[in-house]
Amino acid sequence: MEDILWARGLRRHYGTGRALVRAVDDVDLAVAPGETVGVVGASGCGKSTLLHLLGGLDRPDAGEVWLGGRRVDGLSETAAARLRRREIGFVFQSFHLVDELSAAENVELPALLAGESRRAARRRAAGLLERMGLGGRARHLPAELSGGQRQRVAVARALVNDPRLLLADEPTGNLDSAAATDVLRLFAALRAEGRTLVIVTHDSRVAGTADRLITMRDGAFADETVLGARPPGAGGLGAGGLGALSGLEA
């Protein structure tokens, strides 16, 4: 099976001399379709920088990043933005929702930017929010939602363009225990649906949902543990995808 994400010799350094920080230092990584990879390690070890390099939010000083058989680390800013809109979904610790837009409008936005019609974007957003257990909150602004609800909106937004790859950076970092449990169930459901995920986390419960767990130290991979095989099931999310989430606490 061909890897969906592949990186070799990935390096990102900041500063010079005694102030040199080796944020990512000659990292090699391959992620298979449908695999969930967790990345853990102490704060400052390079986890988030690695995720930004893999998702094209930052450029490496050296090395290569390939997504779906296409090299992406040397793309122009315009081409990289187009790739991110269509091929990669991002979930951040701080949600990064637009405060002035409703939950539905936040989810619709990436689809509109990718060229979808407003009607198609609205229909797709409504379906995702419904399956996230947020159908009744679609018109609410982010400030009117709990932390767990905002994170579920952020995940719906990340999925609206049906990306090949979902990248999550500390998705439970700003959530209380109950909300984190909801998000934990969400990522377990995405894994069961065959989504390809790379998740940076400090949360041992989130890490425990991965097929493979990588520990980073000082910008490099220090250890790798295989936790289990990918569950059987279909590939992308179909009409019934995420159905298990409909019972999430609203």
Side-chain angles (χ1 to χ4, degrees):
M1 183 182 295
E2 184 178 349
D3 294 319
I4 191 171
L5 176 66
W6 183 76
R8 182 174 67 183
L10 209 56
R11 183 186 306 165
R12 187 71 170 97
H13 294 175
Y14 300 97
T16 59
R18 292 184 178 180
L20 179 66
V21 176
R22 302 178 188 272
V24 173
D25 203 26
D26 291 322
V27 161
D28 297 335
L29 176 67
V31 181
E35 184 179 22
T36 296
V37 175
V39 183
V40 298
S43 296
C45 71
K47 304 186 302 297
S48 293
T49 301
L50 173 65
L51 209 68
H52 289 180
L53 293 174
L54 296 176
L57 294 174
D58 195 6
R59 292 183 181 272
D61 298 322
E64 304 174 9
V65 180
W66 294 72
L67 178 65
R70 178 188 184 190
R71 186 170 178 179
V72 299
D73 56 274
L75 293 176
S76 68
E77 291 296 334
T78 299
R82 188 180 303 117
L83 175 85
R84 289 193 297 269
R85 283 197 296 266
R86 295 189 176 276
E87 305 285 346
I88 304 172
F90 291 93
V91 181
F92 299 99
Q93 176 177 348
S94 299
F95 319 129
H96 291 332
L97 299 177
V98 180
D99 292 339
E100 294 79 14
L101 298 182
S102 69
E105 290 167 337
N106 268 282
V107 178
E108 292 168 17
L109 186 58
L112 294 173
L113 292 174
E116 286 282 358
S117 69
R118 184 167 295 278
R119 176 178 295 181
R122 185 173 297 132
R123 183 172 61 249
R124 194 175 301 174
L128 280 166
L129 287 173
E130 189 67 36
R131 292 196 292 270
M132 295 284 174
L134 293 173
R137 303 289 200 280
R139 296 183 181 275
H140 286 59
L141 296 174
E144 300 171 317
L145 302 173
S146 69
Q149 290 168 349
R150 279 179 281 172
Q151 193 60 290
R152 279 185 268 154
V153 172
V155 173
R157 179 186 59 188
L159 293 172
V160 73
N161 286 333
D162 195 27
R164 292 174 182 250
L165 176 68
L166 189 68
L167 302 177
D169 192 359
E170 299 288 1
T172 60
N174 282 339
L175 304 181
D176 61 28
S177 180
T181 298
D182 276 356
V183 173
L184 182 68
R185 291 174 57 198
L186 168 55
F187 278 98
L190 292 172
R191 176 179 179 270
E193 291 284 350
R195 287 284 173 178
T196 304
L197 299 101
V198 179
I199 307 174
V200 162
T201 185
H202 278 104
D203 190 330
S204 61
R205 298 174 301 169
V206 175
T209 68
D211 299 306
R212 183 158 48 107
L213 192 61
I214 295 171
T215 301
M216 286 192 73
R217 185 178 302 119
D218 299 329
F221 288 173
D223 189 31
E224 179 176 295
T225 304
V226 176
L227 300 178
R230 170 177 172 255
L237 294 171
L242 292 180
L245 301 180
S246 60
L248 283 175
E249 194 67 34

